Amino acid sequence: MKKSLKIAIPVLVVVSLAVLAFPLSNNLAKRQIEEPLGGVSEFKPVSVIMQNKCVDCHTKGKTIYPFYTNFPIAKKLIDEDVQLASDNMPFTREKLLGLQEFSRLDLSKIHTVVESGEMPPAQYKILHWDASLSDSDRKAFISWIEAETKSRKGQR
Ligand code: HEC
């Protein structure tokens, strides 16, 4: 074997492993999931989905920064997303735990993005392979929104 190949092959192997590990290592970050304390029973599974798949952007202080945060521009892009998402549609701790209601308008916006698959955003799903909403996640959201809407009709 040529001398240059003897060096090139291990280098190639290390580089490919690093590339493969890139999104995976990100998925290994463990989240602390809190048990919801209130709300309709249909909210429980939704709270867990939100705590896993939405809070990185929609809840200030809950962002798990990936290791590539230190790459040029990455932190700025992540922070812009968090700012935009948590200003526009904050999933506060009280809301995540079922202690504070989502407004009707928020419920209808959530319904729209869950049906359309707009959220979580595509660029996030590339690096968080397990963040896409599954069919059962989607069903959980829809049943919650229906139950929530029904329970409020009785009250107001
Ligand atoms: C990578 C960050 C990120 C993640 C993860 C994320 N969102 Fe968002 N979300 C955003 C941003 C940014 C906006 C603001 C979009 C805009 O105004 O253009 C937004 C807006 C929204 C809106 C408001 C849409 C509207 O019509 O105003 C809803 C509802 C929403 N997200 C729900 C969710 C749900 C539910 C999840 C989890 C399943 C989720 N998002 C995960 C970044 C994120």
Side-chain angles (χ1 to χ4, degrees), residues 39-81:
V40 294
S41 62
E42 289 84 350
F43 181 62
K44 286 210 155 79
V46 173
S47 166
V48 175
I49 302 166
M50 284 178 163
Q51 292 185 61
N52 274 310
K53 302 187 172 177
C54 314
V55 297
D56 254 351
C57 302
H58 286 274
T59 311
K60 282 233 169 99
K62 285 266 185 192
T63 313
I64 294 183
Y65 283 98
F67 74 90
Y68 52 82
T69 301
N70 295 328
F71 289 8
I73 329 176
K75 175 122 184 10
K76 188 166 171 281
L77 291 177
I78 295 170
D79 283 345
E80 277 171 7
D81 256 7

Coordinates of all heavy atoms in Angstrom, one line a residue, residues 39-81:
G39 N -55.4 20.2 33.7 CA -55.9 20.1 32.3 C -56.7 18.9 32.1 O -56.8 18.0 32.9
V40 N -57.3 18.8 30.9 CA -58.1 17.6 30.5 C -57.2 16.4 30.4 O -56.0 16.6 30.1 CB -58.9 17.9 29.2 CG1 -60.0 18.9 29.4 CG2 -58.0 18.2 28.1
S41 N -57.7 15.2 30.6 CA -56.8 14.0 30.6 C -56.1 13.9 29.2 O -55.0 13.4 29.2 CB -57.6 12.8 30.9 OG -58.6 12.6 30.0
E42 N -56.8 14.3 28.1 CA -56.1 14.2 26.8 C -54.9 15.1 26.7 O -54.1 14.9 25.7 CB -57.1 14.6 25.7 CG -58.3 13.7 25.4 CD -59.4 13.9 26.4 OE1 -59.3 14.6 27.4 OE2 -60.5 13.3 26.2
F43 N -54.7 16.0 27.6 CA -53.5 16.8 27.5 C -52.2 16.1 27.9 O -51.1 16.4 27.4 CB -53.7 18.1 28.3 CG -52.5 19.0 28.2 CD1 -52.1 19.6 27.0 CD2 -51.7 19.4 29.4 CE1 -51.0 20.4 26.9 CE2 -50.6 20.2 29.2 CZ -50.3 20.7 28.0
K44 N -52.3 15.1 28.8 CA -51.1 14.5 29.3 C -50.1 14.0 28.3 O -49.0 14.4 28.3 CB -51.5 13.3 30.2 CG -52.1 13.8 31.6 CD -51.8 12.8 32.7 CE -51.8 13.5 34.0 NZ -53.1 13.7 34.6
P45 N -50.6 13.2 27.3 CA -49.6 12.8 26.2 C -49.1 13.9 25.4 O -47.9 14.0 25.0 CB -50.4 11.8 25.4 CG -51.8 12.0 25.7 CD -51.9 12.5 27.1
V46 N -49.9 15.0 25.2 CA -49.5 16.1 24.4 C -48.4 16.9 25.2 O -47.4 17.3 24.5 CB -50.7 17.0 24.1 CG1 -50.3 18.3 23.4 CG2 -51.7 16.3 23.3
S47 N -48.6 17.0 26.5 CA -47.5 17.7 27.3 C -46.2 17.0 27.1 O -45.2 17.7 26.9 CB -47.9 17.7 28.7 OG -46.8 18.1 29.5
V48 N -46.2 15.7 27.1 CA -44.9 15.0 26.9 C -44.3 15.2 25.5 O -43.1 15.5 25.4 CB -45.1 13.5 27.2 CG1 -43.8 12.7 27.0 CG2 -45.6 13.2 28.7
I49 N -45.2 15.2 24.5 CA -44.7 15.4 23.2 C -44.1 16.8 23.1 O -43.0 17.0 22.5 CB -45.8 15.3 22.1 CG1 -46.5 13.9 22.2 CG2 -45.3 15.6 20.7 CD1 -47.8 13.8 21.4
M50 N -44.8 17.8 23.6 CA -44.3 19.2 23.6 C -43.0 19.3 24.3 O -42.1 20.0 23.8 CB -45.3 20.1 24.2 CG -46.5 20.4 23.4 SD -47.6 21.5 24.3 CE -48.7 22.1 22.9
Q51 N -42.9 18.7 25.5 CA -41.6 18.8 26.2 C -40.5 18.1 25.5 O -39.3 18.5 25.7 CB -41.8 18.2 27.6 CG -42.7 19.0 28.5 CD -42.8 18.4 29.9 OE1 -41.8 18.4 30.6 NE2 -44.0 18.0 30.4
N52 N -40.8 17.2 24.6 CA -39.7 16.5 23.9 C -39.4 17.2 22.5 O -38.3 17.3 22.1 CB -40.1 15.1 23.5 CG -39.7 14.1 24.7 OD1 -38.6 14.1 25.1 ND2 -40.7 13.3 25.1
K53 N -40.5 17.7 21.9 CA -40.3 18.1 20.5 C -40.5 19.6 20.2 O -40.3 20.0 19.0 CB -41.2 17.3 19.6 CG -41.0 15.8 19.7 CD -41.8 14.9 18.8 CE -41.3 13.5 18.9 NZ -42.1 12.6 18.0
C54 N -41.0 20.4 21.1 CA -41.3 21.8 20.9 C -40.5 22.8 21.7 O -40.3 23.9 21.3 CB -42.8 22.0 21.0 SG -43.9 20.8 20.3
V55 N -40.1 22.3 23.0 CA -39.6 23.3 23.9 C -38.2 23.9 23.6 O -37.9 25.0 24.1 CB -39.6 22.8 25.4 CG1 -40.9 22.4 25.9 CG2 -38.6 21.5 25.4
D56 N -37.5 23.2 22.7 CA -36.2 23.7 22.3 C -36.3 25.2 21.8 O -35.4 26.0 22.0 CB -35.6 22.9 21.2 CG -34.4 22.0 21.7 OD1 -34.0 22.2 22.9 OD2 -34.0 21.1 21.0
C57 N -37.4 25.5 21.2 CA -37.6 26.8 20.6 C -38.7 27.6 21.3 O -38.7 28.8 21.4 CB -38.0 26.7 19.1 SG -36.8 25.9 18.1
H58 N -39.8 26.9 21.8 CA -40.9 27.6 22.3 C -40.9 27.9 23.8 O -41.8 28.6 24.3 CB -42.2 26.9 22.0 CG -42.6 26.9 20.5 ND1 -43.3 28.0 20.0 CD2 -42.3 26.2 19.5 CE1 -43.5 27.8 18.7 NE2 -42.8 26.7 18.3
T59 N -39.9 27.4 24.5 CA -39.8 27.7 25.9 C -38.4 28.2 26.3 O -37.4 27.5 26.2 CB -40.1 26.3 26.7 OG1 -41.3 25.8 26.2 CG2 -40.3 26.6 28.2
K60 N -38.4 29.5 26.7 CA -37.1 30.1 27.1 C -36.6 29.3 28.3 O -37.3 29.0 29.2 CB -37.3 31.5 27.4 CG -37.4 32.4 26.2 CD -36.4 33.6 26.3 CE -36.4 34.3 25.0 NZ -37.2 35.5 25.0
G61 N -35.3 29.0 28.2 CA -34.6 28.3 29.4 C -34.7 26.8 29.2 O -34.1 26.1 30.0
K62 N -35.4 26.3 28.2 CA -35.5 24.8 28.0 C -34.7 24.4 26.8 O -34.7 23.2 26.5 CB -37.0 24.4 27.8 CG -37.8 24.4 29.1 CD -37.8 23.0 29.7 CE -38.7 23.0 30.9 NZ -38.5 21.8 31.7
T63 N -34.0 25.3 26.1 CA -33.3 25.0 25.0 C -32.1 24.1 25.3 O -31.3 24.5 26.2 CB -32.8 26.2 24.2 OG1 -33.8 27.1 24.1 CG2 -32.2 25.9 22.9
I64 N -32.0 22.9 24.7 CA -30.8 22.1 24.9 C -29.9 22.5 23.7 O -30.3 22.2 22.5 CB -31.0 20.6 24.9 CG1 -31.8 20.3 26.2 CG2 -29.7 19.8 24.9 CD1 -32.1 18.8 26.3
Y65 N -28.8 23.2 23.9 CA -28.0 23.7 22.8 C -27.1 22.5 22.3 O -26.5 21.8 23.1 CB -27.1 24.8 23.3 CG -27.8 26.1 23.3 CD1 -28.3 26.6 24.5 CD2 -28.0 26.9 22.2 CE1 -29.0 27.8 24.6 CE2 -28.7 28.1 22.2 CZ -29.2 28.5 23.5 OH -29.9 29.7 23.5
P66 N -27.2 22.2 21.0 CA -26.3 21.2 20.5 C -24.9 21.6 20.5 O -24.6 22.8 20.6 CB -26.9 21.0 19.0 CG -27.5 22.3 18.7 CD -27.9 22.9 20.0
F67 N -24.0 20.6 20.3 CA -22.5 20.9 20.4 C -22.1 21.8 19.3 O -21.1 22.6 19.4 CB -21.7 19.7 20.5 CG -21.5 19.0 19.2 CD1 -20.5 19.3 18.3 CD2 -22.4 18.0 18.8 CE1 -20.4 18.6 17.1 CE2 -22.3 17.4 17.6 CZ -21.3 17.7 16.7
Y68 N -22.8 21.8 18.1 CA -22.4 22.7 17.0 C -22.8 24.1 17.2 O -22.6 25.0 16.4 CB -22.9 22.2 15.7 CG -24.4 21.9 15.6 CD1 -25.3 22.9 15.4 CD2 -24.8 20.6 15.8 CE1 -26.6 22.6 15.4 CE2 -26.2 20.3 15.8 CZ -27.1 21.4 15.6 OH -28.4 21.1 15.6
T69 N -23.4 24.4 18.4 CA -23.7 25.8 18.8 C -22.5 26.7 18.6 O -22.6 27.9 18.3 CB -24.2 25.9 20.2 OG1 -25.3 25.0 20.3 CG2 -24.6 27.3 20.6
N70 N -21.3 26.2 18.9 CA -20.1 27.0 18.8 C -19.6 27.2 17.4 O -18.7 28.0 17.2 CB -19.0 26.4 19.7 CG -19.4 26.4 21.1 OD1 -20.1 27.3 21.6 ND2 -19.0 25.4 21.9
F71 N -20.2 26.5 16.4 CA -19.8 26.8 15.1 C -20.2 28.2 14.7 O -21.2 28.7 15.2 CB -20.5 25.8 14.1 CG -19.9 24.4 14.2 CD1 -19.1 24.0 15.2 CD2 -20.3 23.4 13.3 CE1 -18.6 22.7 15.3 CE2 -19.9 22.1 13.4 CZ -19.0 21.7 14.4
P72 N -19.5 28.8 13.8 CA -19.8 30.2 13.4 C -21.3 30.2 12.9 O -21.8 29.3 12.2 CB -18.9 30.5 12.2 CG -17.8 29.5 12.3 CD -18.3 28.3 13.1
I73 N -22.0 31.3 13.3 CA -23.4 31.6 13.0 C -24.4 30.7 13.6 O -25.5 31.1 13.8 CB -23.6 31.5 11.4 CG1 -22.4 31.9 10.6 CG2 -24.8 32.4 11.0 CD1 -22.5 31.8 9.1
A74 N -24.0 29.5 14.0 CA -25.1 28.5 14.5 C -25.8 29.1 15.7 O -27.0 29.1 15.7 CB -24.4 27.2 14.9
K75 N -25.1 29.7 16.7 CA -25.7 30.2 17.9 C -26.7 31.3 17.6 O -27.8 31.3 18.1 CB -24.7 30.7 18.9 CG -25.2 31.3 20.1 CD -24.8 30.6 21.4 CE -25.3 31.0 22.7 NZ -26.4 31.9 22.8
K76 N -26.3 32.1 16.7 CA -27.2 33.3 16.3 C -28.5 32.7 15.7 O -29.5 33.2 16.0 CB -26.4 34.1 15.3 CG -27.1 35.4 15.0 CD -26.1 36.4 14.3 CE -26.9 37.6 13.7 NZ -27.5 37.3 12.5
L77 N -28.4 31.8 14.8 CA -29.6 31.2 14.1 C -30.5 30.5 15.1 O -31.7 30.7 15.1 CB -29.2 30.2 13.0 CG -28.5 30.8 11.8 CD1 -28.1 29.7 10.8 CD2 -29.4 31.8 11.1
I78 N -29.9 29.8 16.0 CA -30.7 29.1 17.1 C -31.4 30.1 17.9 O -32.6 30.1 18.2 CB -29.8 28.2 17.9 CG1 -29.2 27.0 17.1 CG2 -30.6 27.6 19.1 CD1 -28.2 26.2 17.7
D79 N -30.6 31.2 18.4 CA -31.2 32.2 19.3 C -32.3 32.9 18.6 O -33.3 33.3 19.2 CB -30.1 33.1 19.8 CG -29.3 32.4 20.9 OD1 -29.8 31.4 21.4 OD2 -28.2 32.9 21.2
E80 N -32.2 33.2 17.3 CA -33.2 33.9 16.5 C -34.5 33.1 16.5 O -35.6 33.6 16.7 CB -32.8 34.2 15.1 CG -31.9 35.4 15.0 CD -31.3 35.6 13.6 OE1 -31.6 34.9 12.7 OE2 -30.5 36.5 13.5
D81 N -34.3 31.8 16.3 CA -35.5 30.9 16.3 C -36.2 30.8 17.6 O -37.4 30.9 17.7 CB -35.0 29.4 15.9 CG -35.3 29.0 14.5 OD1 -35.8 29.9 13.7 OD2 -35.1 27.9 14.2

